[in-house]
Amino acid sequence: MMESVVSVDWLINYLDDPNVAIVDCRFQLSDPSWGRKQYEASHIPNALYLDLNQDLSSPVQKHGGRHPLPDPQTLGEKLEKMGITFAKTQVIAYDDSRCAFAARLWWLLRYFGHARVAVLDGGWTQWKKGGYPVTSHIPSRRRGTFTPQPREEWVVDVEGVKARQEDENAVIIDSRDPDRYRGEREPIDPIAGHIPGAVNFPWKTVTDEEGNLYPPAEQRKRWLNGEVSIGENQEKIVYCGSGVTACVNLLSLHLAQLPQGKLYAGSWSDWCSYHNE
């Protein structure tokens, strides 16, 4: 579990390690400026900030969903300025939203070919609960070198999803809350419901209510032995509302030591955008 998850007890010993970069990913969809304000007020010492809308996504287009994947070169330059060197620097991502945004950075870096990345188990909540130091000081770091090498095969688009809807060797996984999956509630997108054939694995069931990740054995059981289960070797296409919280499920698959899942990056917000065409 140490490969992709670290504890607050681990991190306290590496705060000043030049080979470790800590990234605060706190964010609120309802108030996009909230996360940066929280960071500027108080954060883990030596942490820098990345914003979901401004840094971990590219501008919204007609299609592609509400949080399109960021341009690799643009994010790569930002990572360099943060002192992150490709394949060398150990990145630790945290938030206070049950990994919702930290997992997006975790997945993005691995998608770019940078495997040295982990999420902080329990995130900001666990850090504060443990009484560890916080600061408002914004650090500076020596520039790194980062050349993204995107793994394009980790991503599918709307046509890729359609091509797998009738494929018994593939499974489409909806990561949203059950009521959104069932179409009973849709607070954001113009259409309620889910992609036909998709099964529901809510992203919030990857952690407890305080954001602590369940251990690998429980993650595996969740996928293979729950009320809804999938085949271990089925191709897994994961989506959510806009490709963000789906990354929590991709983290779960990784911790469960199941084959690499694929992200439908545009997710439901992209699927809806073709409704009237």
Side-chain angles (χ1 to χ4, degrees), residues 131-149:
Y132 291 116
V134 299
T135 184
S136 59
H137 173 70
I138 297 177
S140 59
R141 288 173 57 94
R142 294 181 62 180
R143 190 182 182 95
T145 55
F146 198 97
T147 304
Q149 299 175 13

Side-chain angles (χ1 to χ4, degrees), residues 178-186 192-194:
D179 57 348
R180 287 185 72 190
Y181 167 77
R182 293 191 298 263
E184 298 166 1
R185 177 180 69 94
E186 184 44 67
H194 60 264

Side-chain angles (χ1 to χ4, degrees), residues 41-72:
S42 182
H43 54 260
I44 295 175
N46 286 327
L48 291 164
Y49 184 75
L50 284 175
D51 180 276
L52 173 64
N53 285 352
Q54 303 300 320
D55 305 314
L56 304 183
S57 307
S58 58
V60 176
Q61 309 291 331
K62 180 180 180 181
H63 299 300
R66 283 180 281 107
H67 292 105
L69 296 183
D71 174 72

